[in-house]
Amino acid sequence: MSTLRLSLPLSAPRTSLLHSSRRFFSSRFSRFLPSCYPGEIEKLQRGCRRVQLFLKMEFCTSGSMDKNKALVEYLQQHGVLRSDRVAGVMETIDRALFVPRGNPPYLDSPMPIGYNATISAPHMHALCLELLKDHLQPGMGALDVGSGSGYLTACFAMMVGPEGQAVGIEHIPELVSASIENVKRSAAAPLLEKGSLSLHVADGRYGWHEAAPYDAIHVGAAAPEIPKALLDQLKPGGRMVIPVGHLFQDLQVVDKKLDGSIVSRNETGVRYVPLTSRSNQLQNY
Ligand code: SAH
């Protein structure tokens, strides 16, 4: 049996690096999060408040996989995880293998992974997987830009399977090396070995031509605007999920129709690290 301890509000440690999802919190804590504030100051206040409202969970269970399962159940109970398929893959890929030692892996919060980067919060991973799941069918191709810890690339690889292709690109070589080690310890290890999962050092703003076009593209860092190369590398009928903006961003869901036209919508407000140059990211690190 697992027990859950919840506490609110909690200030988060490195606010500039935190991700948040209004929808997740508004479903559970709507009185804290009005859905609409007009004006820029209010937008800033909303963002700060969201960051402060990070939900902390502590699972009193034995065994890492039990705790991972409890995290998945928690996300299901709160309506973030809606499909059995996404819940199944998040259960299979143990988050603890992707969070650096010394950090609590099962808190619903982003965690530092070094180099001014974070592994996204579980509810953001769940949300992005739910948004992309129809484009992560067995045999399909997926690109994870800003793959960081490698967690989502591993999930993508499990979903597209050995006949598909999951590519992660990350511009910090040390993070790519660490992510490969993380994947090797996970249930996705055979896919890495066989080559249907690969992780590369590259500037994500230019995508990864070698395996393009992709059915699904996820961008794990915020771009000021959608990079053209990524739009070009999206297959007709494909979907991209990308945070767009500066300090506070919109998580955009971008669909490329079969005729090549683009339709996009905003899913929710978020806060991601920027999609930028390596030197810019490593300033003050
Ligand atoms: N989805 C990842 C998120 C990591 S944070 C996870 O949950 O682990 C965003 C990542 O984007 C960071 O690792 C950062 O180094 C990377 N990043 C930022 N700008 C980039 C760029 N231009 N090219 C590739 N990766 C980039």
Side-chain angles (χ1 to χ4, degrees), residues 65 68 87-94 158 186-187:
M65 285 310 270
N68 197 56
V89 79
M90 287 188 72
E91 235 181 78
T92 307
I93 301 295
D94 184 359
M158 297 298 284
S186 78

Side-chain angles (χ1 to χ4, degrees), residues 15 27 51 72 84 96-97 128 161 184-185 195 210-211 213-214 231 239 273:
T15 53
S27 63
V51 165
V72 169
D84 290 345
L97 302 173
C128 292
K184 279 184 183 165
R185 290 179 288 141
E210 283 84 333
Y214 301 96
L231 274 180
R239 171 172 282 191
V273 303

Side-chain angles (χ1 to χ4, degrees), residues 75-218:
L75 294 168
Q76 286 175 310
Q77 282 156 17
H78 290 87
V80 190
L81 268 177
R82 294 184 300 278
S83 70
D84 290 345
R85 198 161 158 253
V86 173
V89 79
M90 287 188 72
E91 235 181 78
T92 307
I93 301 295
D94 184 359
R95 184 176 167 87
L97 302 173
F98 295 81
V99 173
R101 272 174 208 278
N103 295 289
Y106 303 112
L107 293 187
D108 191 15
S109 169
M111 290 291 157
I113 56 174
Y115 307 93
N116 286 336
T118 58
I119 176 172
S120 302
H123 70 270
M124 286 309 303
H125 283 154
L127 175 62
C128 292
L129 287 167
E130 287 287 351
L131 290 169
L132 288 169
K133 67 175 184 297
D134 292 344
H135 306 270
L136 295 167
Q137 299 292 346
M140 288 185 167
L143 176 67
D144 185 20
V145 175
S147 47
S149 67
Y151 177 88
L152 265 188
T153 321
C155 291
F156 292 168
M158 297 298 284
M159 292 173 82
V160 300
E163 307 304 324
Q165 193 71 43
V167 177
I169 49 173
E170 163 60 54
H171 66 163
I172 307 288
E174 292 86 347
L175 287 180
V176 174
S177 304
S179 68
I180 290 171
E181 293 311 309
N182 297 341
V183 170
K184 279 184 183 165
R185 290 179 288 141
S186 78
L191 299 169
L192 180 71
E193 203 174 310
K194 297 252 160 61
S196 62
L197 188 175
S198 59
L199 293 151
H200 309 271
V201 181
D203 188 332
R205 293 172 291 187
Y206 304 103
W208 185 256
H209 288 283
E210 283 84 333
Y214 301 96
D215 299 279
I217 298 181
H218 168 262

Side-chain angles (χ1 to χ4, degrees), residues 9-43:
L10 286 161
S11 56
R14 297 174 73 176
T15 53
S16 65
L17 297 176
L18 296 177
H19 313 172
S20 66
S21 160
R22 182 183 68 211
R23 205 173 64 166
F24 171 57
F25 289 114
S26 59
S27 63
R28 179 78 172 75
F29 305 110
S30 52
R31 71 195 169 95
F32 294 111
L33 291 174
S35 59
C36 171
Y37 291 88
E40 205 50 39
I41 293 171
E42 287 84 354
K43 193 173 176 188

